[in-house]
Amino acid sequence: MQEGMSGASEVLTGRREFADKSMFPPSGNLLIVDDDLSMREMLEVMLTSEGYTVDYAEDGSQAIQILNKKTFDLIISDIRMGSVGGLAVLKEAKKRSPETIVIMISAFATTETAVEAMNNGAYDYIPKPFNVEEFKKTIRNALERKTLDREKQALDAELEKTYHFGHIVGNSSRLVKIYSTIKQVADTRTNVLITGESGTGKELIARAIHENSGRKDMPFTVIHCAGIPETLMESELFGHRKGAFTGAVESKEGLFEASQGGTVFLDEIAELTPAIQVKLLRVVHEKVFKRVGETSDIEVDVRIVSATNKNLEDEVIAGNFREDLFYRLNVIHIDMPPLRERKEDLPALAQHFLEKFSKEMGKSIHKLSSYALDMLSKYDFPGNIRELENMIERSVATASTNIILPESLALSTHKQAQIKEKESGAESSLHVEPDIPPEGVDLESILAETERGYILKAMTLSGGVKQKAADLLGISGRNLRYRLEKMEKSNNPPST
């Protein structure tokens, strides 16, 4: 079936020579499944020139026969093909090899078929016509992600033998180095200072240090230094004797004493007053303290892990933090990167929160669409992981399908403006000078297919709501209905 196409030259927009081999790693076994000969040939030329090993099938039946004999890293399959379509190929491929990446393509993509494909494990669905460079990028990203997933599984298996990092999610190079530091220092008595912006997961690092140490069966006490009133701070930390002050009707054990043998996590350490800093210095240096109103020392064996979103060295220079205390707390320094600097961890983090909240809310939402992930990747997340967590929680709560689509993300006007600004810059940087061969081109066909691609993608992003799709395209709803009717009349695809 030709799917209303006059050839691959009309399907692939922005076509140019496939010479930039740096775009792909030169490896991978790929299967092309399409009943359009010109499309198969075009994809085969493009992918083999990029260094891939390529097989092809003329229809779904032949593809399934091939899958009985061979496993592929990635499959590119048309959706509509005779009696055995692309969805059947997808299901068979995933049944035989769940790790195989499947990308669906079609000139007649609809929201229903797209969602069904994603629900059955498709990595992405791409309407024809598609931009060559964007298509190559999608394939490259898919294979790179598969490689990273495989490496992370191997890393996790190795770490799991002796170390467990709790709820820390990610395999970026920055996090791998932090994992290594945790491994080295967890079972020592050394004090650790964790720095990073709010919402980066500093408490998770502190917990991982404790849980991988010999103190793991003893208390892990979190003290939010900014959340305790100054007048109560000393009593909360070190306890007090009965009658030591008005309201002290009985003696009380402080948090340090209650943490004997364990770990004390001092969050927002920069907020401690100078008076409390002096008393904390004695605990850090001499391992002793006095309860409020008592004269005898109490010995304490605790490991201190501190955290701050401020630059403590600047606080020392400004006279807000004791230099001697700073050096005793900052024996080992771990700096947590903001989410915008570890975007490669975004898919894993989003999936982690998706599974968490789906379970909590009793929903069966199992993945984010590639378009939703792409939208998230264009946002800088000033609130870091905490902001992403809140966003995914809202999305799960409001989602009406079992896949998170872009409209389910409920982005604020500010977030949408930031994303649009980035998209605008990306589009200008990705602009490709059109290539006109000596024999010329059919401009009307190219424009018609380009329009078809934008309309189908807008309909997918809008969940099939025509007015939303029209808004995305910057046209009226009436204009969109006219164009959809024109597409239907010009194509009149046969039923399968």
Side-chain angles (χ1 to χ4, degrees):
M1 175 174 57
Q2 298 299 311
E3 291 197 322
M5 312 298 291
S6 59
S9 61
E10 297 177 10
V11 176
L12 298 171
T13 62
R15 179 181 174 184
R16 64 181 187 179
E17 293 299 316
F18 311 124
D20 184 13
K21 294 181 174 58
S22 64
M23 291 293 289
F24 286 95
S27 63
N29 297 318
L30 277 61
L31 174 66
I32 300 168
V33 187
D34 202 305
D35 55 4
D36 183 341
L37 176 61
S38 61
M39 175 57 73
R40 288 200 308 272
E41 291 176 343
M42 178 63 73
L43 289 174
E44 184 177 12
V45 169
M46 179 182 76
L47 296 172
T48 54
S49 68
E50 295 293 336
Y52 291 105
T53 301
V54 178
D55 288 307
Y56 65 85
E58 298 179 0
D59 54 36
S61 297
Q62 188 178 35
I64 292 174
Q65 292 176 10
I66 294 173
L67 291 173
N68 288 331
K69 304 174 183 177
K70 188 173 181 180
T71 301
F72 296 88
D73 295 308
L74 185 144
I75 298 172
I76 301 168
S77 177
D78 193 13
I79 292 179
R80 301 184 63 170
M81 298 180 296
S83 59
V84 181
L87 291 175
V89 174
L90 167 64
K91 292 174 183 177
E92 190 67 23
K94 285 296 181 179
K95 182 174 71 174
R96 296 183 178 278
S97 174
E99 298 80 17
T100 296
I101 299 164
V102 183
I103 296 176
M104 310 301 292
I105 57 176
S106 178
F108 303 107
T110 65
T111 300
E112 291 75 17
T113 55
V115 170
E116 185 178 358
M118 300 297 282
N119 287 341
N120 281 282
Y123 173 83
D124 207 345
Y125 60 92
I126 300 175
K128 301 175 183 178
F130 46 76
N131 180 280
V132 169
E133 296 304 320
E134 289 298 316
F135 189 65
K136 292 197 295 185
K137 181 180 177 182
T138 297
I139 296 173
R140 181 196 67 201
N141 289 343
L143 290 171
E144 285 180 352
R145 179 175 173 183
K146 180 178 180 180
T147 300
L148 287 173
D149 287 344
R150 190 184 302 122
E151 292 174 352
K152 184 178 185 301
Q153 289 172 5
L155 176 64
D156 288 345
E158 181 63 28
L159 293 174
E160 193 65 30
K161 294 176 183 177
T162 51
Y163 295 94
H164 178 63
F165 295 111
H167 296 291
I168 304 173
V169 176
N171 62 345
S172 60
S173 58
R174 296 278 295 273
L175 273 192
V176 169
K177 289 180 181 178
I178 290 173
Y179 295 158
S180 177
T181 300
I182 294 173
K183 178 179 177 180
Q184 292 170 354
V185 307
D187 213 18
T188 70
R189 296 170 59 91
T190 307
N191 296 328
V192 179
L193 176 65
I194 307 169
T195 58
E197 297 177 7
S198 295
T200 51
K202 297 187 289 295
E203 184 175 333
L204 291 179
I205 297 296
R207 287 186 182 277
I209 292 171
H210 174 75
E211 290 167 1
N212 289 280
S213 74
R215 300 172 182 267
K216 63 183 179 180
D217 295 324
M218 303 305 287
F220 176 80
T221 305
V222 180
I223 301 174
H224 297 287
C225 299
I228 303 175
E230 182 179 349
T231 54
L232 298 178
M233 179 63 79
E234 184 177 0
S235 173
E236 286 293 315
L237 294 183
F238 309 118
H240 61 260
R241 179 181 59 82
K242 179 180 179 181
F245 52 83
T246 302
V249 295
E250 60 182 4
S251 296
K252 178 185 175 182
E253 183 180 65
L255 293 173
F256 270 93
E257 192 174 353
S259 305
Q260 190 73 255
T263 302
V264 171
F265 175 53
L266 296 169
D267 195 15
E268 299 183 78
I269 188 74
E271 305 305 318
L272 289 180
T273 64
I276 297 298
Q277 290 179 35
V278 172
K279 296 182 182 295
L280 178 60
L281 177 62
R282 187 162 185 250
V283 177
V284 175
H285 180 49
E286 301 177 24
K287 304 297 183 184
V288 296
F289 63 88
K290 289 184 176 70
R291 285 181 177 179
V292 177
E294 291 189 353
T295 57
S296 59
D297 286 335
I298 297 175
E299 293 187 5
V300 65
D301 172 26
V302 295
R303 198 233 190 109
I304 296 178
V305 180
S306 309
T308 179
N309 57 15
K310 294 183 177 180
N311 186 319
L312 271 193
E313 291 184 84
D314 289 345
E315 294 298 303
V316 169
I317 294 171
N320 299 325
F321 202 84
R322 293 184 63 94
E323 184 175 15
D324 46 4
L325 178 58
F326 167 69
Y327 285 120
R328 291 197 176 275
L329 294 176
N330 190 36
V331 180
I332 298 296
H333 180 206
I334 295 176
D335 184 53
M336 281 298 289
L339 184 53
R340 63 181 174 276
E341 293 179 9
R342 43 179 288 218
K343 284 291 185 68
E344 58 267 50
D345 291 330
L346 183 60
L349 283 165
Q351 186 65 29
H352 168 75
F353 293 131
L354 180 67
E355 292 172 359
K356 171 187 173 182
F357 293 118
S358 292
K359 183 176 180 181
E360 288 182 4
M361 298 179 194
K363 293 190 172 185
S364 59
I365 304 173
H366 55 83
K367 76 179 295 183
L368 286 89
S369 73
S370 60
Y371 292 126
L373 277 174
D374 183 59
M375 183 174 289
L376 291 178
S377 71
K378 293 183 174 72
Y379 180 59
D380 280 343
F381 289 98
N384 291 297
I385 298 172
R386 189 176 297 130
E387 182 179 6
L388 173 64
E389 182 177 13
N390 292 339
M391 187 182 296
I392 298 300
E393 182 177 10
R394 288 195 304 272
S395 300
V396 172
T398 59
S400 57
T401 63
N402 58 0
I403 184 170
I404 298 296
L405 299 170
E407 57 267 26
S408 301
L409 293 175
L411 295 171
S412 66
T413 303
H414 169 73
K415 293 181 177 69
Q416 292 181 42
Q418 185 191 101
I419 291 169
K420 286 182 179 179
E421 182 179 350
K422 288 202 168 189
E423 286 178 337
S424 176
E427 287 171 3
S428 61
S429 64
L430 289 173
H431 174 70
V432 178
E433 191 70 23
D435 180 31
I436 300 179
E439 64 273 18
V441 298
D442 185 344
L443 182 59
E444 291 299 327
S445 295
I446 292 174
L447 293 176
E449 294 303 335
T450 301
E451 177 181 301
R452 175 198 298 275
Y454 275 101
I455 290 175
L456 289 174
K457 188 165 186 177
M459 289 293 288
T460 299
L461 290 173
S462 67
V465 179
K466 292 179 181 178
Q467 188 55 54
K468 285 185 179 180
D471 293 340
L472 288 172
L473 295 168
I475 60 178
S476 67
R478 183 176 181 179
N479 192 333
L480 176 61
R481 287 192 294 272
Y482 165 75
R483 293 172 186 269
L484 287 170
E485 290 172 2
K486 186 173 69 171
M487 284 170 51
E488 183 68 24
K489 290 178 181 178
S490 62
N491 289 315
N492 193 23
S495 58
T496 59

